[in-house]
């Protein structure tokens, strides 16, 4: 364990070429996936309304459109899970290790992304996990607020439709399938869960560093837990919220560094 408190360095301007090159395509692909999901949901409801006997051409167009959109949704979702997300996360993890051990693993490195004055590799790992969990938790907390409102509105609409006696069971079933899908209720639960995990990791690491109980094994355990939690939740964080909250979170992180001597 280090002795004494290292002097705090000024936070350099933040530059994130990894985000620009690898996370921006991920964000765009994820948005395309969301759009296709809602289009598929609308078409599935239209398929129940349009009668084949009275409007055969429109019925055929709706059915064909639904199939095309579902296949496109499958392809984009698969690309996000197996290409865009692993590629971006691997680059971010390599950058994490580059900063932790002061050994560049790529010519593209972030600047001002990790801010601490820890003197050895495993202590820098702990400081960087602490910083990551702090910023990620804050972004997720903001996302949770919007997601709770959105899900609550969807539930209200679904209950109104379900309680309406004129609504047939097929429509209620399709609406329930949309509501309890991965993009709505499941996404909300994953946001809430990952927020709680980040807050727990942050709190435990903070106490370990403050109480001088941090060891190499505990630092690596925290890193593993953080990365596993991110992979399990499989979420794309809002870059807009992160940027909007930066003045507040940067100031709060500076206070945390001063408190812990990082």
């Amino acid at each position: 364990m280090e002795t004494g408190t290292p002097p705090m360095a000024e936070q350099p301007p933040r530059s994130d070429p990894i985000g620009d090159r690898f996370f921006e395509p991920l964000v765009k692909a994820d948005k395309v996936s969301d759009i296709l999901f809602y289009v598929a949901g609308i078409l599935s409801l239209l398929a129940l309304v349009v009668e084949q006997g009275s409007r055969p051409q429109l019925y055929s167009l709706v059915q064909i459109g639904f199939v095309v959109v579902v296949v496109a949704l499958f392809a984009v979702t698969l690309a996000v899970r197996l290409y865009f997300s692993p590629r971006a996360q691997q680059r971010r993890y390599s950058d994490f290790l580059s900063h932790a051990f002061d050994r560049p693993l790529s010519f593209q490195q972030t600047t001002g992304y990790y801010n601490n004055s820890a003197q050895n590799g495993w202590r820098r790992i702990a400081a960087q996990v602490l910083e990551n969990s702090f910023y990620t938790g804050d972004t997720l907390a903001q996302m949770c607020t919007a997601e709770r409102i959105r899900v609550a509105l969807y539930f209200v609409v679904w209950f109104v439709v379900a309680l309406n006696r004129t609504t047939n069971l097929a429509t209620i079933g399709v609406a329930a399938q949309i509501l309890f899908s991965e993009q709505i209720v499941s996404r909300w639960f994953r946001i809430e869960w990952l927020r709680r995990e980040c807050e727990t990791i942050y709190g435990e690491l903070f106490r370990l560093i403050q109480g001088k109980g941090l060891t190499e094994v505990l630092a690596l355990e925290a890193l593993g837990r953080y990365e596993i939690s991110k992979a399990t939740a499989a979420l794309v964080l809002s870059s807009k919220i992160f940027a909007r909250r930066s003045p507040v979170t940067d100031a709060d992180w500076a206070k945390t560094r001063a408190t812990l001597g990082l």
Side-chain angles (χ1 to χ4, degrees), residues 43-116:
L43 289 175
S44 65
L45 291 172
L46 282 176
L48 299 174
V49 177
V50 178
E51 296 182 0
Q52 185 176 9
S54 59
R55 297 181 178 180
Q57 290 184 341
L58 181 59
Y59 180 83
S60 297
L61 286 174
V62 170
Q63 294 294 334
I64 293 170
F66 178 71
V67 171
V68 170
V69 171
V70 167
V71 172
L73 176 60
F74 168 77
V76 173
T77 302
L78 205 62
V80 168
R81 291 291 178 86
L82 300 182
Y83 176 69
F84 289 106
S85 183
R87 183 181 71 149
Q89 296 298 342
Q90 190 273 329
R91 294 286 182 171
R92 184 68 79 201
Y93 187 67
S94 295
D95 185 67
F96 180 98
L97 294 178
S98 295
H99 286 279
F101 294 99
D102 199 21
R103 294 289 186 273
L105 298 177
S106 171
F107 70 94
Q108 290 182 317
Q109 283 189 278
T110 57
T111 303
Y113 199 83
Y114 301 106
N115 301 283
N116 65 82

Side-chain angles (χ1 to χ4, degrees), residues 73-169:
L73 176 60
F74 168 77
V76 173
T77 302
L78 205 62
V80 168
R81 291 291 178 86
L82 300 182
Y83 176 69
F84 289 106
S85 183
R87 183 181 71 149
Q89 296 298 342
Q90 190 273 329
R91 294 286 182 171
R92 184 68 79 201
Y93 187 67
S94 295
D95 185 67
F96 180 98
L97 294 178
S98 295
H99 286 279
F101 294 99
D102 199 21
R103 294 289 186 273
L105 298 177
S106 171
F107 70 94
Q108 290 182 317
Q109 283 189 278
T110 57
T111 303
Y113 199 83
Y114 301 106
N115 301 283
N116 65 82
S117 302
Q119 300 299 305
N120 60 53
W122 62 266
R123 187 168 171 83
R124 278 199 295 268
I125 285 176
Q128 290 175 193
V129 173
L130 185 74
E131 185 174 4
N132 279 349
S133 59
F134 170 75
Y135 279 91
T136 301
D138 182 85
T139 301
L140 288 167
Q142 301 300 312
M143 291 173 64
C144 279
T145 302
E147 208 67 24
R148 289 166 189 161
I149 296 172
R150 187 167 74 107
V151 171
L153 290 174
Y154 282 138
F155 264 112
V156 169
V157 172
W158 182 72
F159 273 117
V160 169
V161 171
L163 292 174
N164 191 337
R165 293 183 179 181
T166 62
T167 306
N168 60 55
L169 291 176

Side-chain angles (χ1 to χ4, degrees), residues 216-232:
E216 183 176 356
V217 173
L218 292 175
L220 293 175
E221 181 189 38
L223 172 60
R225 182 177 176 183
Y226 177 74
E227 293 297 330
I228 290 170
S229 297
K230 283 198 310 176
T232 302

